[in-house]
Amino acid sequence: MRKARLATVWLDGCSGCHMSLLDLDEVILEVAKRVEVVYGPLVDAQEFPKSVDVTLVEGAVSSQDDLDLIHTIRKRSKIVVALGDCAVSGNVPAMRNPHPARKLLERIYIEGAEGNRCVPTDGVPALLRQAVPVQEVVKVDLHVPGCPPPPRAIGYVLMELIEGRIPDLGTKVKFG
Ligand code: SF4
């Protein structure tokens, strides 16, 4: 049986959704039999690959790099899942939205710094004006709220998608 090609992506999030994914307990053995993880923080892949079956996206779209990556993900993934409140609604990263990004950076790196007061730019992706949920940029096939979503719900979602079914999340997840 062909294994499903699974990618997991960490945009502007805290990694808590990935921690929840790793907390699947024994379900992870079933998932591991059915998927090949082709991209994400858990594997050493430099470039988002082609022909991905399912991509789990943690975090909001917050920087130019996030924006470029999410467009590539959409083009190369059959199913895109917004995993967690940051990806679904903006959540914590979107708390910066009422303030201009430049002012925030100055507050942190200049006013709040004790030494070396300058806003880093070398190798740092430019912030977008606002941090936005994934669905504001590309089509999302499934939203899985939660901060983070419970491991059991993530396991259920993965197994249903692998079997070719659309998960009925019903009361399995909630925001927060
Ligand atoms: S939804 Fe919660 S756990 Fe997931 S990345 Fe955002 S803040 Fe972290």
Side-chain angles (χ1 to χ4, degrees), residues 111-147:
E111 294 163 38
E114 297 205 336
N116 195 20
R117 293 171 186 234
C118 72
V119 175
T121 52
D122 194 16
V124 180
L127 285 182
L128 300 176
R129 224 157 53 84
Q130 304 227 299
V132 296
V134 177
Q135 67 181 1
E136 282 200 20
V137 181
V138 296
K139 175 175 170 276
V140 170
D141 301 295
L142 185 70
H143 293 89
V144 184
C147 185

Side-chain angles (χ1 to χ4, degrees), residues 14-54:
C14 73
S15 87
C17 291
H18 271 81
M19 292 299 114
S20 204
L21 170 64
L22 288 176
D23 203 18
L24 290 179
D25 291 335
E26 69 277 5
V27 177
I28 207 164
L29 299 175
E30 282 309 304
V31 172
K33 278 187 213 156
R34 306 292 308 278
V35 306
E36 176 192 2
V37 182
V38 292
Y39 184 86
L42 310 176
V43 296
D44 184 21
Q46 301 304 314
E47 193 185 338
F48 194 85
K50 293 184 177 151
S51 307
V52 175
D53 293 304
V54 178

Side-chain angles (χ1 to χ4, degrees), residues 10 12-18 58-59 83-87 91-93 146-149:
W10 177 4
D12 192 359
C14 73
S15 87
C17 291
H18 271 81
E58 170 190 321
L83 182 70
D85 288 353
C86 295
N91 197 32
V92 177
C147 185

